[in-house]
């Protein structure tokens, strides 16, 4: 896949385009991204349902065009946090 520099982002971002239409952003500006990734990884390891559900929900938010943080809308991490909140409230995952 290709690496693309995202100009105009609030923090330095590189987008990695992978196969099957999957892409992700890489940021090296702070430790927050590392901690956020560790949090998500912990929930995915706890319950295998989390990863495919998260990918489906993020895909849906992109289709309906509410996942566009440069335009003031949601970003993928915010969507994931809302999903985790729901899963914690319904006891699908534990804190």
């Amino acid at each position: 896949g290709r690496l693309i520099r995202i100009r105009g982002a609030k923090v330095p971002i590189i987008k990695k385009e992978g196969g099957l239409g999957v892409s992700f952003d890489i940021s090296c500006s702070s430790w927050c991204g590392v901690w956020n990734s560790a949090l998500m990884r912990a929930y995915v390891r706890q319950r295998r349902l989390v990863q495919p559900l998260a990918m489906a929900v993020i895909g849906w938010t992109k289709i309906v065009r509410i996942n566009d943080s440069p335009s003031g809308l949601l970003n993928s991490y915010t969507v994931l946090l809302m999903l985790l909140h729901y899963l914690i409230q319904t006891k699908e995952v534990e804190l």
Side-chain angles (χ1 to χ4, degrees):
R2 299 180 336 167
L3 290 176
I4 303 166
R5 180 178 168 200
I6 305 298
R7 299 183 187 274
K10 293 180 183 178
V11 296
I13 298 283
I14 296 173
K15 179 177 283 293
K16 169 76 168 125
E17 292 183 344
L20 302 174
V22 176
S23 66
F24 56 90
D25 297 344
I26 303 168
S27 171
C28 301
S29 65
S30 73
W31 282 101
C32 288
V34 175
W35 296 328
N36 295 345
S37 295
L39 174 68
M40 294 302 154
R41 188 171 28 263
Y43 282 112
V44 166
R45 285 183 177 158
Q46 185 184 130
R47 178 94 171 164
R48 295 200 182 270
L49 153 86
V50 174
Q51 184 177 13
L53 183 57
M55 292 177 72
V57 170
I58 288 173
W60 172 79
T61 62
K62 291 180 179 182
I63 290 168
V64 298
R65 298 184 177 159
I66 59 173
N67 187 330
D68 187 7
S69 60
S71 298
L73 300 173
L74 302 174
N75 64 32
S76 294
Y77 188 70
T78 301
V79 172
L80 289 176
L81 289 178
M82 291 190 303
L83 174 62
L84 286 176
H85 175 75
Y86 172 78
L87 293 173
I88 291 166
Q89 294 302 309
T90 58
K91 310 274 191 264
E92 291 293 330
V93 296
E94 298 177 2
L95 285 173

